[in-house]
Amino acid sequence: MYEVLQSSPTSQDGCLECFMTTTIHNPRDFARCSKMHYLAKSLIIVALPFLITSCHNQSKGPIYPNILLVMTDDQGWGDTSYNGHPHLKTPQLDEMASNGVVFSRFYAASPVCSPTRGSVLTGRHPLRYGICHANCGHLKIEEVTLAELVKEVGYTTGIFGKWHLGTLTRDTIDSNRGGRPQHDAHYSPPSQHGFDTYFVTEAKVPTWDPMITPPRSAGDVSLSQQEGKPFNTSYWSNPGEIETRNLNGDDSRVIMDRVIPFIRNAVKQDQPFFGVVWFHTPHLPVIAGESYKEPYSELSEDQQHFYGALTAMDEQVGRLRKTLRELDVSENTVLFFTSDNGPEGENMVGRTQGSTKGLRGRKRSLYEGGIRVPGIMEWPDEILPGTVLESPSFTSDYFPTIASILNINPKKYNRPYDGMNLLPLLHGTMEKRERNLAFRINQQASLIGEVYKIYSNDGGNTFELYNIVQDPYESTNIAASHPDQLSVMVAEWNHWKTSQEASANEADY
């Protein structure tokens, strides 16, 4: 059996000769090698799921990577500096992008919050289990989550930030639905879904001083006139307690102050960790501290707050990555970053300054601007810097990808999955997806493939067709000139719809 080393190879350049004899080295060491050495690296990566489960050192058993899923709220496709934003500064995301893989066509599974979050944790479209929109349904106990998946092989699990997959209390009025008898059926805290630790809110909070109601100028017309009073949403931690300490200032920092101790404790216990970090930023109400507004002082007050809040969040991503390096676990940590949907608002006015970078539609739309979002994956042990994936991918892909990393076959759960394992695409052993990305919300429907996309706003009765590679702005409907392509994709979407509706009728349980 080969030995997997965590240190640099004994040879000077990680040579193929050494690889072919007795030792498999850290694949990252082969990045310096010749073309033949790169082939050797590819062979290692293709065999990764087998190696992770079969390669043991003498004392610790299987070597599993740590896993972190970071997601923002309402951050648009254009809302990063690495993607060419004219004002916004996100140096940590830029560094993360250059050090890993950038998904050039990454999608949220839904154009609104709660459904996308469900897809992240289950790998399944949220309509399969009743999450139709924000504040609609809840994560059912019958669903198998990523937290439950990784616990099968010994991970410690935690979730921090915005939950929005059910209520957190039965007896205290909280947020949109918590503590109200008519919503008791939607009680569904993270502890019921495999999370050992949590520090979460049911739904939105202000991005600065999260427990204090801001003025309406923060951009949220739903705010009451209770400016400066306690906000109507609390941070809850297990076992079902309201947090009261360390809740002032930047909300992203408040969240990260809980994430880092979780990671430190896991490393101290020599236990692999799975952490979900769901920032509220830049969801309304949008507020930034003065120091974060300062870099944008030449812009409008609304822009200063919006860009400042994102820069504060970016700072916390940097703090997270620095902690991983300090603990000497960054190389073997899989770190994903994305957003739950496109930017809020009809256009860039007031505090809804989010950018689609010209894509059509915004939050709540299945046009590109509502669902195409930033996507980054960093895994130094396995992903070469500067990697770009052109194939479409989305949040439902997290579950099967992580299952593959851990050599767990999701088929044992006896239910359909909408995502697929991304590793073959990332490693170049597969040229395109096995199946297209299916979407459905209210009366909108869509199916996205490598080249073409269909879109409907009448429940799937009629569809538009776009060549999304040549026309990412969806400016020209080519349905009339490509009837065969349209017919094939509509048939595929209808087939998926039949499966989705069967799941909704609990055929999967």
Side-chain angles (χ1 to χ4, degrees):
M1 182 178 294
Y2 290 119
E3 178 185 4
V4 177
L5 301 181
Q6 296 302 307
S7 60
S8 299
T10 55
S11 60
Q12 185 174 3
D13 62 351
C15 67
L16 180 61
E17 179 181 357
C18 186
F19 158 70
M20 293 300 292
T21 53
T22 59
T23 305
I24 294 177
H25 298 307
N26 186 325
R28 187 178 177 86
D29 296 319
F30 288 89
R32 301 191 303 270
C33 303
S34 66
K35 182 176 181 180
M36 184 61 71
H37 295 167
Y38 182 79
L39 174 61
K41 176 183 183 296
S42 299
L43 292 173
I44 297 170
I45 293 173
V46 170
L48 175 66
F50 170 78
L51 293 172
I52 286 177
T53 56
S54 64
C55 295
H56 296 61
N57 60 32
Q58 294 182 353
S59 61
K60 297 181 181 179
I63 300 173
Y64 295 113
N66 307 302
I67 301 167
L68 291 168
L69 305 182
V70 179
M71 189 163 67
T72 52
D73 198 338
D74 294 358
Q75 184 177 6
W77 167 246
D79 289 330
T80 63
S81 51
Y82 76 79
N83 202 14
H85 196 284
H87 306 297
L88 179 62
K89 297 174 176 64
T90 56
Q92 293 300 322
L93 293 182
D94 299 352
E95 184 178 304
M96 183 179 168
S98 65
N99 196 49
V101 56
V102 171
F103 299 88
S104 62
R105 292 174 60 195
F106 196 82
Y107 295 91
S110 174
V112 293
C113 177
S114 299
T116 294
R117 294 168 195 276
S119 74
V120 167
L121 294 184
T122 67
R124 287 156 49 84
H125 192 280
L127 281 182
R128 291 188 183 276
Y129 42 91
I131 300 182
C132 60
H133 212 277
N135 306 308
C136 171
H138 62 277
L139 186 58
K140 293 183 177 180
I141 196 70
E142 294 88 353
E143 288 296 312
V144 178
T145 69
L146 275 171
E148 293 167 317
L149 177 97
V150 302
K151 283 177 73 69
E152 293 183 17
V153 291
Y155 279 68
T156 184
T157 59
I159 184 166
F160 311 88
K162 185 177 182 181
W163 174 239
H164 222 195
L165 290 172
T167 65
L168 303 169
T169 174
R170 296 182 188 276
D171 53 17
T172 303
I173 298 298
D174 181 68
S175 193
N176 296 314
R177 297 186 293 171
R180 298 164 178 83
Q182 67 270 33
H183 296 303
D184 269 358
H186 299 302
Y187 178 73
S188 185
S191 55
Q192 291 187 353
H193 302 286
F195 288 101
D196 302 320
T197 299
Y198 65 87
F199 171 78
V200 296
T201 63
E202 177 187 322
K204 70 180 182 183
V205 297
T207 59
W208 186 268
D209 285 343
M211 296 296 103
I212 299 175
T213 301
R216 285 179 181 266
S217 60
D220 194 334
V221 297
S222 67
L223 292 175
S224 70
Q225 297 293 345
Q226 301 293 313
E227 179 181 339
K229 302 295 183 180
F231 201 62
N232 68 344
T233 300
S234 296
Y235 266 111
W236 295 78
S237 61
N238 50 318
E241 296 179 352
I242 295 177
E243 287 279 351
T244 59
R245 298 174 294 107
N246 186 18
L247 300 173
N248 298 325
D250 177 56
D251 179 62
S252 297
R253 193 269 308 153
V254 167
I255 293 169
M256 194 57 63
D257 278 359
R258 273 71 177 190
V259 177
I260 288 177
F262 163 77
I263 293 174
R264 290 189 182 279
N265 186 63
V267 174
K268 182 178 180 180
Q269 299 297 321
D270 199 22
Q271 188 173 15
F273 57 83
F274 171 73
V276 177
V277 184
W278 284 347
F279 294 119
H280 299 92
T281 301
H283 192 292
L284 297 173
V286 178
I287 310 171
E290 291 301 319
S291 64
Y292 297 106
K293 291 167 57 182
E294 197 278 332
Y296 309 103
S297 59
E298 300 301 315
L299 303 175
S300 72
E301 182 75 8
D302 288 328
Q303 289 173 311
Q304 290 178 44
H305 280 285
F306 186 84
Y307 301 147
L310 278 171
T311 296
M313 178 279 300
D314 180 79
E315 179 178 274
Q316 296 307 312
V317 172
R319 187 178 165 207
L320 173 63
R321 296 175 70 244
K322 180 181 178 182
T323 298
L324 296 175
R325 293 192 298 270
E326 290 175 346
L327 295 173
D328 198 25
V329 296
S330 63
E331 298 292 300
N332 194 37
T333 296
V334 186
L335 175 59
F336 283 95
F337 178 88
T338 192
S339 172
D340 64 348
N341 46 248
E344 178 64 271
E346 294 297 321
N347 46 48
M348 298 169 67
V349 297
R351 297 287 168 91
T352 59
Q353 290 290 323
S355 169
T356 69
K357 202 178 180 182
L359 298 178
R360 183 177 180 180
R362 294 174 74 84
K363 181 179 179 179
R364 303 178 187 85
S365 171
L366 286 180
Y367 284 121
E368 292 288 286
I371 50 177
R372 193 189 289 201
V373 290
I376 312 171
M377 175 185 178
E378 188 178 20
W379 188 7
D381 264 0
E382 301 298 336
I383 302 296
L384 288 173
T387 303
V388 176
L389 182 64
E390 301 288 350
S391 290
S393 49
F394 67 157
T395 48
S396 294
D397 293 331
Y398 285 165
F399 190 104
T401 300
I402 292 169
S404 177
I405 289 172
L406 303 182
N407 202 28
I408 297 174
N409 189 347
K411 289 183 179 180
K412 71 178 185 177
Y413 301 122
N414 297 314
R415 59 196 61 188
Y417 286 90
D418 299 293
M420 60 163 277
N421 174 19
L422 294 175
L423 293 181
L425 289 171
L426 293 172
H427 298 149
T429 60
M430 179 185 293
E431 293 185 358
K432 61 181 182 179
R433 292 185 67 94
E434 296 171 334
R435 58 181 178 273
N436 295 327
L437 287 60
F439 301 82
R440 186 183 184 192
I441 184 168
N442 298 334
Q443 290 299 301
Q444 295 182 86
S446 183
L447 188 76
I448 298 176
E450 293 281 344
V451 177
Y452 295 99
K453 171 183 177 177
I454 58 173
Y455 170 85
S456 171
N457 61 6
D458 62 3
N461 293 316
T462 61
F463 280 91
E464 301 162 4
L465 175 68
Y466 299 95
N467 183 320
I468 209 65
V469 175
Q470 296 179 358
D471 180 24
Y473 306 107
E474 297 167 294
S475 59
T476 305
N477 177 11
I478 59 174
S481 59
H482 292 70
D484 292 342
Q485 180 65 44
L486 177 67
S487 178
V488 168
M489 295 189 74
V490 170
E492 181 179 348
W493 185 84
N494 280 317
H495 179 75
W496 172 84
K497 177 187 174 184
T498 299
S499 171
Q500 176 262 298
E501 291 180 338
S503 297
N505 290 323
E506 301 195 344
D508 303 338
Y509 304 146

